Amino acid sequence: MSQTINRGGSAAGSEHKISGKGLKTGQLGLLAVVVLGISTIAPAYTLTGALGPTVATVGLQLPAIFLIGFIPMILVSLAYRELNADSPDSGTTFTWVTKAFGPWVGWMGGWGLLAANIIVLSNLAGVAVDFFYLFLSQLLGNPGIADLASDKLLNVITCLVFVGLSVWVSYRGLHTTKIVQYGLVGFQVLALGLFAVMAFANWSASETAIAFSWDWFDVSKVESFGQIAAGISLSIFVYWGWDVCLTVNEETANGKKTAGLAGTLTALAVLGIYLVVTIATMMFAGVGDSGVGLNNEENHANIFTALASPVMGPLAILMSLAVLSSSAASLQSTMTAPSRSLLAMAHYGALPKPFAHMSGKFSTPGFATIAAGVLSAGFYAIMHVISENVLNDTILALGLMICFYYGLTAIACAWYFRNSIFSSARNFVLRGLCPVLGGIGLFVVFFQTAMDSWAPEFGSGSEVGGVGLVFILGVGILALGVVCMLIQARLRPGFFKGETIRKDTPALVVPE
């Protein structure tokens, strides 16, 4: 049910109006939102792809890097929590940065969020395809079936099917999403737990095993700041996604409090999962460059494929199914963020009106959900046909997008609350210190990664005119956002003149 609030603005004779977008309220409780957050982060999917490259960068200090990467995440999550308590809105970064810094910066914040989600949706679909055929090959005892994922046409067609199923579930609303996610998330967490237990139990039998050491948590043993920044950039990717908890704030019971708390709890839960599984994996596999060692480049793309059989024996198929369910679950739940961001941007006049169209039957942003699916599937198809290197380097560029919009949101929190920061010790810490430290940390990583990615050897080694492809893609995506913003400013000047959102625009009322 749409709600409208009329409240006097700061300008003489002006009146602000802010209304609900038609989203169905009170659908989710705390547990459901946390499950949605864990699903979006996709622990099984992220770990299988991130452990190898991160070990290659920082070696035995992998646990330390995960802890360091978690620090800006938890600081930023506190900033999100404060902003959500003040102004709950499904637009999150777009809405909050607009209220803090104005429409131009806010639009770019929304673009960063959308770009990151569209990129990762395409990657999730690709991973789901790979593990679908791997699972079938293991289930049927025919290794040749796994090779079907290498057929570009079949790969793209299967990808489109996965995206279509995810769009269908998302279109039907959060109630259907919740039911699906309970099953998929529950299974992957149980599978990861079983893997960790068996790795701990059998680690001494592995030829590449190493004993646990507290030195793994000593960041001073990392050789350079560049390695720390690269490692943190990778770890930021594995934590990314908890902010979906805030995206559904308008659809959550007592969304002002529940959504923010769920984001923080999700980050903490995922940290626990990562540390346990990472330590178990390191003890069993070691960090060597041969066999099942984590530094073996042949294992980097998919650590669990290499380790599942040695660790779990006949139960190895469970890990393939866990990664498949993880990527499929994340593909579906991640669709929530861009659809609601597109809805909010259109609702406030920053994008064409069709993106604000709601499904009358399911009370979901129908047009935006379909659009997000089409964009992600199209992006994957084009990139997959052009080159695997382009697709992989685009994923590396994703880290730049995450640091950009997370960091921007954190700094916006401190600026938005600048007049109340010194009113209490609590406000100083949660509205000032934590957001500033988190935002600065992410922007440091952003600029360090951007400088490193200028070199052609960063990522796949592809280059254009001597400049690394990762840099071109990352900066190019942001530059494309500027172009799109200028076009929208010409077509829809109202938003960019501050007619729809300003700092003194009243917050949306979210039912208890």
Side-chain angles (χ1 to χ4, degrees), residues 407-425:
L408 191 59
T409 307
I411 299 298
C413 175
W415 185 252
Y416 181 77
F417 290 116
R418 64 189 182 279
N419 294 327
S420 64
I421 285 178
F422 297 104
S423 61
S424 68

Side-chain angles (χ1 to χ4, degrees), residues 44-45 48 131 134-136 138-139 184 186-196 198 302 304-305 307-309 311-327:
Y45 150 73
T48 195
F131 275 91
L134 176 62
F135 170 70
L136 286 181
Q138 292 174 329
L139 182 65
L184 294 177
F187 175 78
Q188 72 168 297
V189 171
L190 287 174
L192 285 172
L194 180 62
F195 175 88
M198 297 183 75
N302 190 345
F304 290 146
T305 294
L307 288 177
S309 292
V311 172
M312 304 178 73
L315 299 178
I317 193 172
L318 293 178
M319 284 308 295
S320 295
L321 188 56
V323 178
L324 172 59
S325 65
S326 178
S327 55

Side-chain angles (χ1 to χ4, degrees), residues 2-7 15-21 87-90 95 99 250 347-348 499-502 504-509:
S2 179
Q3 307 159 70
T4 303
I5 305 166
N6 297 329
R7 200 177 300 173
E15 187 178 63
H16 292 300
K17 295 182 179 180
I18 189 166
S19 62
K21 306 173 187 67
S87 303
D89 192 284
S90 64
T95 304
K99 293 188 76 171
E250 293 183 42
H347 180 76
Y348 295 121
E499 295 176 1
T500 57
I501 310 178
R502 296 207 301 263
D504 55 355
T505 301
L508 179 70
V509 172

Side-chain angles (χ1 to χ4, degrees), residues 352-395:
K353 289 183 178 180
F355 287 104
H357 174 75
M358 297 293 294
S359 165
K361 182 177 181 180
F362 299 109
S363 297
T364 56
F367 185 89
T369 299
I370 294 172
V374 170
L375 288 171
S376 60
F379 181 85
Y380 177 81
I382 293 171
M383 293 297 101
H384 190 75
V385 169
I386 292 175
S387 169
E388 284 289 341
N389 285 342
V390 175
L391 185 62
N392 292 336
D393 284 342
T394 304
I395 299 305

